Amino acid sequence: MPDRRIAWHILGALLRTVRDRLQIGLAAKLGAELPLLVRGAYYDHYRPAAEPDKTRSLENFSQHIGEELKSIRPVDPEEAARSVFRVLARHIDLGQSAKVRDALPKEIQALWPESLGVK
């Protein structure tokens, strides 16, 4: 599978996994920051009436990403998350990026770039 296609799958899987752990208002604000094409992947199969996923562990987060990516070649979910979070930190408003990061469990926040204050 070409690298661009894999990158697209990873981006979509990560965005949806994060989206499903955010309150509806914050999820919508993040979606508004994304480019139109990426926004389509972000909102794919979104059910805003559903409660946010309350599972808070890094292990569960990684498993969910792994499930979404099982149809492509093996990918390290945590490394994939770091890569997508670096892209988000560069391309969306810093304040919005920090709000999304802060809404996630500490274990998952640790995957965000240090430029957002995560050590």
Side-chain angles (χ1 to χ4, degrees):
M1 186 175 285
D3 287 343
R4 289 184 123 203
R5 194 165 167 206
I6 290 170
W8 181 253
H9 280 286
I10 291 169
L11 178 65
L14 257 296
L15 287 174
R16 288 185 296 274
T17 301
V18 168
R19 174 204 71 201
D20 291 345
R21 282 159 177 74
L22 300 175
Q23 293 295 326
I24 190 169
L26 186 55
K29 287 178 182 175
L30 175 58
E33 294 276 336
L34 301 172
L36 189 57
L37 184 62
V38 176
R39 200 175 306 159
Y42 177 75
Y43 282 114
D44 188 35
H45 298 291
Y46 186 42
R47 297 178 329 147
E51 287 291 315
D53 186 336
K54 301 240 188 283
T55 11
R56 309 306 285 170
S57 75
L58 178 59
E59 180 181 352
N60 181 269
F61 185 79
S62 295
Q63 285 175 340
H64 190 273
I65 295 165
E67 279 298 309
E68 282 221 29
L69 298 176
K70 68 182 177 185
S71 65
I72 63 173
R73 72 177 184 219
V75 173
D76 177 346
E78 289 180 31
E79 187 54 41
R82 282 186 193 91
S83 296
V84 171
F85 291 156
R86 277 192 302 269
V87 170
L88 287 177
R90 277 196 318 263
H91 293 285
I92 66 171
D93 176 76
L94 183 61
Q96 188 63 40
S97 181
K99 286 177 187 175
V100 171
R101 182 207 62 224
D102 292 346
L104 298 171
K106 298 284 185 211
E107 289 181 337
I108 299 168
Q109 289 180 21
L111 302 175
W112 283 73
E114 287 193 29
S115 65
L116 291 177
V118 177
K119 294 183 171 71

